[in-house]
């Protein structure tokens, strides 16, 4: 059996296993979030790495022994891990997304009452992380939320939808695997395939690459995801313009559609990792952050 055949079989088995597992446990938090943390770790400045390392000593003060937090890969998934303790952390659920209908103009200030949305929480937690007057455990918590939420805002269906909870309410087959939903596909198997292919995405990127991929502000990142939901995620699954009002409830991502979607998913993971690195460098740089990072 050739290398490509083995890899293809492995992907199919992975997709089948994913279909049998509960979505919240195996979303971006399972793989793509971790990879964004690895990319960030490979691209932060040495001074940033040293400053963050000092914060990890405060991990016991978080009181989350089942959710470790002592490196950037763990930081990328910690906010999903702690949500299992709903009584303590349930209030953070709305911080992970900011969906807006792709049939309406994008506005970063919509659907963000009281700052309870992903764009506002990225800005808030970057400011908290940068505030050296705060206790180390508060800053460590902010570090993790910042790393995780930058990942979340780069997933297209955390920003754009058709009043279907970011595609959660639309059943979509992934190739020959039936019964998934559009959100979970972009969270799980599509992202996994995108970042498992060669060349590896975890590496030190050149200054020119970082300039090309890591620019923009928080509002721009949400808008990019919203546009991808509108121009790629829904059309690839349903074969029609989502703005013409005829999107069915059920769809299929064919193998051709999957192949077309992979480069977009891969780019979003890389962008998220490099933008995390940028925000961490900014937060750990001496001197105050602007009052509003958005």
């Amino acid at each position: 059996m050739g290398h490509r055949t083995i890899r293809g079989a492995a992907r199919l088995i992975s997709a089948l296993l994913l279909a049998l597992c509960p979505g919240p446990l195996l979303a971006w938090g399972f793989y793509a979030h971790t990879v964004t943390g690895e990319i960030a770790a490979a691209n932060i400045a040495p001074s940033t790495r040293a400053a963050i390392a000092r914060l990890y000593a405060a991990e016991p003060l978080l009181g989350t022994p089942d959710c470790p937090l002592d490196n950037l890969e763990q930081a990328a998934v910690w906010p999903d891990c702690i949500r299992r303790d709903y009584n303590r952390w349930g209030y953070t659920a709305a911080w992970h997304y900011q969906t807006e209908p792709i049939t309406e103009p994008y506005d970063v200030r919509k659907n963000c009452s009281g700052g309870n949305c992903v764009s506002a929480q990225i800005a808030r937690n970057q400011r908290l992380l940068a505030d050296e007057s705060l206790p180390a455990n508060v800053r460590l918590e902010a570090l993790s939320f910042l790393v995780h939420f930058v990942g979340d805002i780069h997933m297209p269906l955390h920003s754009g939808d058709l009043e279907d909870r970011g595609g959660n309410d639309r059943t979509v087959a992934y190739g020959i695997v039936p019964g998934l939903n559009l959100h979970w596909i972009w969270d799980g198997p599509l992202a996994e395939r995108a970042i498992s292919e060669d060349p590896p995405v975890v590496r030190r990127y050149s200054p020119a690459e970082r300039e090309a991929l890591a620019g923009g502000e928080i509002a721009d990142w949400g808008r990019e995801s919203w546009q991808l939901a509108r121009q790629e995620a829904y059309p690839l699954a349903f074969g029609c313009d989502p703005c013409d009002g005829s999107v069915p409830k059920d769809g299929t991502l064919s193998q051709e559609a999957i192949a077309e979607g992979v480069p977009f998913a891969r780019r979003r993971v890389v962008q998220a990792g490099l933008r995390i690195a940028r925000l961490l460098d900014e937060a750990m740089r001496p001197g105050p952050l602007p009052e509003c990072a958005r």
Side-chain angles (χ1 to χ4, degrees), residues 20 101 193 259 264:
L20 297 174
R193 173 170 170 174
F264 296 104

Side-chain angles (χ1 to χ4, degrees), residues 102-104 225-235 241-243:
I102 56 178
T103 55
E104 301 174 5
S225 288
W226 174 87
Q227 289 174 336
L228 278 174
R230 175 176 177 155
Q231 297 171 4
E232 302 296 335
Y234 283 93
D241 183 347
C243 295

Side-chain angles (χ1 to χ4, degrees), residues 242-270:
C243 295
D244 68 7
S246 62
V247 175
K249 191 171 182 63
D250 298 339
T252 299
L253 266 176
S254 65
Q255 292 298 332
E256 293 76 16
I258 293 168
E260 185 174 341
V262 159
F264 296 104
R266 182 181 176 92
R267 180 180 175 87
R268 293 311 276 167
V269 172
V270 173

Side-chain angles (χ1 to χ4, degrees), residues 17-29:
L17 290 173
L18 288 166
L20 297 174
C21 295
L25 296 180
L26 292 174
W28 260 48

